[in-house]
């Protein structure tokens, strides 16, 4: 259960992809004084620049493998 500030933090976190379409929020947890999240970063247009694969959902459209870049902040 989140308090008011936790709800605000969650709302802002979930709005990131609206402002940055190349960012996908994979997983997150809101702690009392900080946030952990795993973000997927794709090319701006959703295309993998190395081979033209559609990466908007993090999946290689030909074989279903996850090929998106992940980083932990």
């Amino acid at each position: 259960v989140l308090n008011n500030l936790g709800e605000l933090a969650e709302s802002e976190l979930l709005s990131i992809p609206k402002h940055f379409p190349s960012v996908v929020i994979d997983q997150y947890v809101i702690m009392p004084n900080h946030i952990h999240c795993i973000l997927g970063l794709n090319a701006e247009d959703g295309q993998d620049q190395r081979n033209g694969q559609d990466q908007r959902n993090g999946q290689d459209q030909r074989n279903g493998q996850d090929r998106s870049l992940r980083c932990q902040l």
Side-chain angles (χ1 to χ4, degrees):
V1 177
L2 298 174
N3 64 18
N4 291 341
L5 289 177
E7 289 176 359
L8 176 63
E10 182 178 46
S11 173
E12 292 301 312
L13 176 67
L14 295 176
S15 73
I16 290 173
K18 295 175 189 168
H19 302 287
F20 303 96
S22 62
V23 175
V24 177
I25 299 172
D26 191 14
Q27 296 182 25
Y28 68 92
V29 62
I30 299 176
M31 306 299 285
N33 62 352
H34 65 283
I35 297 172
H36 293 272
C37 66
I38 299 174
L39 304 175
L41 304 176
N42 297 314
E44 276 298 315
D45 61 359
Q47 294 290 317
D48 184 326
Q49 297 301 309
R50 293 168 293 157
N51 54 21
Q53 295 167 349
D54 187 344
Q55 295 291 310
R56 281 177 280 239
N57 64 2
Q59 299 289 316
D60 180 327
Q61 297 300 307
R62 292 174 296 168
N63 61 17
Q65 292 179 341
D66 186 352
R67 296 177 52 98
S68 58
L69 173 64
R70 301 283 189 225
C71 70
Q72 187 170 357
L73 303 174

